[in-house]
Amino acid sequence: MAISDSSRRSLLPSFLYSSSSSSTKRLPGFEMSLTKIINHHHHDMLPRSPSVSSSSSNVIGTDVGVTASRIVIPSPKEGIKMYSPAFYAACTAGGILSCGLTHTAVTPLDLVKCNMQIDPAKYKSISSGFGVLLKEQGAKGLFKGWVPTLFGYSAQGACKFGFYEFFKKYYSDIAGPEYASKYKTLIYLAGSASAELIADVALCPMEAVKVRVQTQPGFARGFSDGFPKFVKVEGPIGLYKGLVPLWGRQIPYTMMKFASFEKIVELIYKYSIPTPKEKCSKSLQLGVSFAGGYIAGVFCAVVSHPADNLVSFLNNAKGATVGDAVKKLGLWGLFTRGLPLRIVMIGTLTGAQWGIYDAFKVFVGLPTTGGGTPTPAAAKA
């Protein structure tokens, strides 16, 4: 998806980037024509005044760069510095869009998956699961729990992507240029694990309400009545009952999501695309981001699925323990129940998340993620 410079200039707020005259390209022919037009208009509209005429001529004729800075907004490519506060703010905003929109869009799939995990006798397969939900709740019921999904995963996405970029830079600086390059996969793993540790604290309350609303018939219509009822029944601490299993699901998932994505994208640029990344079109780079994200999502689903079953089981039943879940589901059930659907869901979800995240970064003038080595020394320049 190519984004023109004119679109970027017209849509982005000026506070995100600098408008220094040094970044404005000079076009001699255009400057001369612009000078003639403005001078002609000036002479027609204003009384002749030597002081005004000479000053305006000097501004337009001798230092067009100054006037150009008032007329032409420079490309934001030159504005947001890597690893500056504006950079982390942009990554945080991209994470909100990336996770909040995608998880909300796949609410029907998530609803079927959760019910297959909780009541496999009733929801025997993907198709029959959709059939049962449509028969009992109608088409509207397929989006049950979308509000806590939107709130929870928007907060999680903000922390996940924003803190990942922060910790990746932080650990690269600690390691230094040589070791950051040599052990970059370890840096990706450590950065993503640290980010997800924080992100799940933001997600956990909404995830608890979402699962209860989606899997307990009659518990609540949605978030507005489900949240206060959950707190009344379980107490405020009950919102975090599933935090440890959530960490068990999300931290391995996110480590796989970021580290495998970075590696897959690097391999795509190295072996499948003959052109260096920086010379590829933005649309091609975004296509690589989606492809790398989808492949990474398949690995993520497999690694995190047992913990996903635990989270669904614990949030559905009051007073349930991990031992109860293992006893009822069995080890094989923990690893396989609902897995095919989750592979489809998470693969699509992860590919779309990376596509949206990198598209937003491109929109604000930042490079796409992956395809290179952390360069802490260069980032300080």
Side-chain angles (χ1 to χ4, degrees):
M1 181 178 69
I3 299 172
S4 65
D5 286 342
S6 61
S7 297
R8 247 190 234 110
R9 291 168 183 156
S10 63
L11 293 175
L12 286 178
S14 59
F15 67 83
L16 281 178
Y17 48 90
S18 169
S19 60
S20 63
S21 59
S22 61
S23 65
T24 306
K25 294 182 179 179
R26 293 175 179 266
L27 300 173
F30 173 77
E31 291 173 7
M32 187 176 298
S33 300
L34 183 62
T35 303
K36 289 179 180 178
I37 292 169
I38 294 178
N39 283 340
H40 178 72
H41 180 74
H42 170 76
H43 287 300
D44 287 345
M45 297 298 294
L46 294 177
R48 293 295 297 260
S49 170
S51 59
V52 173
S53 177
S54 61
S55 63
S56 70
S57 298
N58 287 339
V59 170
I60 302 297
T62 62
D63 194 3
V64 178
V66 175
T67 302
S69 69
R70 299 172 190 168
I71 298 173
V72 180
I73 301 175
S75 168
K77 288 179 181 178
E78 302 169 0
I80 298 181
K81 291 183 178 180
M82 293 293 289
Y83 309 113
S84 65
F87 167 80
Y88 292 119
C91 294
T92 299
I96 291 172
L97 295 173
S98 171
C99 292
L101 294 179
T102 52
H103 277 278
T104 304
V106 297
T107 296
L109 280 174
D110 187 46
L111 183 61
V112 174
K113 173 192 69 73
C114 288
N115 280 284
M116 286 176 65
Q117 292 170 331
I118 298 302
D119 192 354
K122 184 177 181 180
Y123 300 89
K124 298 178 181 179
S125 65
I126 298 172
S127 58
S128 67
F130 274 110
V132 170
L133 287 172
L134 283 170
K135 183 178 179 180
E136 293 184 352
Q137 302 180 31
K140 188 178 179 180
L142 292 177
F143 281 89
K144 195 172 185 179
W146 73 269
V147 175
T149 298
L150 177 63
F151 289 169
Y153 284 95
S154 293
Q156 187 215 33
C159 298
K160 184 198 296 274
F161 283 92
F163 280 111
Y164 172 68
E165 299 287 1
F166 171 80
F167 283 116
K168 183 168 70 171
K169 170 68 164 57
Y170 179 73
Y171 294 141
S172 296
D173 285 344
I174 291 176
E178 180 182 351
Y179 289 108
S181 176
K182 187 175 181 180
Y183 300 109
K184 57 188 174 184
T185 300
L186 290 178
I187 288 174
Y188 300 148
L189 291 169
S192 57
S194 301
E196 190 61 39
L197 191 72
I198 299 169
D200 287 344
V201 176
L203 169 64
C204 194
M206 297 296 103
E207 180 76 359
V209 175
K210 176 188 78 73
V211 171
R212 186 67 61 90
V213 167
Q214 289 180 334
T215 59
Q216 265 195 21
F219 176 76
R221 294 187 305 274
F223 176 74
S224 60
D225 58 335
F227 184 83
K229 186 174 182 180
F230 188 100
V231 173
K232 184 178 180 180
V233 172
E234 299 279 356
I237 198 69
L239 291 169
Y240 286 94
K241 181 176 67 173
L243 181 59
V244 173
L246 189 63
W247 276 334
R249 180 187 82 184
Q250 289 297 131
I251 290 178
Y253 164 87
T254 302
M255 292 171 72
M256 181 65 73
K257 173 179 179 175
F258 283 88
S260 62
F261 172 81
E262 297 264 13
K263 188 64 177 178
I264 290 165
V265 168
E266 180 185 339
L267 293 174
I268 290 174
Y269 282 115
K270 186 175 182 180
Y271 294 108
S272 299
I273 300 176
T275 308
K277 176 188 173 182
E278 57 273 12
K279 294 183 180 180
C280 293
S281 66
K282 294 301 181 184
S283 58
L284 177 58
Q285 291 184 36
L286 292 176
V288 171
S289 294
F290 177 81
Y294 195 97
I295 297 170
V298 175
F299 294 122
C300 293
V302 174
V303 166
S304 61
H305 193 65
D308 183 62
N309 273 322
L310 284 176
V311 170
S312 295
F313 187 90
L314 293 176
N315 285 326
N316 177 67
K318 182 180 179 180
T321 65
V322 173
D324 295 333
V326 174
K327 184 177 179 180
K328 183 172 181 179
L329 300 176
L331 286 176
W332 179 251
L334 279 176
F335 280 87
T336 60
R337 183 170 292 175
L339 180 59
L341 176 57
R342 193 157 185 267
I343 286 176
V344 174
M345 187 181 86
I346 296 300
T348 306
L349 197 71
T350 308
Q353 284 177 355
W354 279 113
I356 292 171
Y357 178 66
D358 276 348
F360 183 81
K361 288 176 72 176
V362 167
F363 181 78
V364 299
L366 292 169
T368 58
T369 310
T373 299
T375 53
K380 294 178 181 179

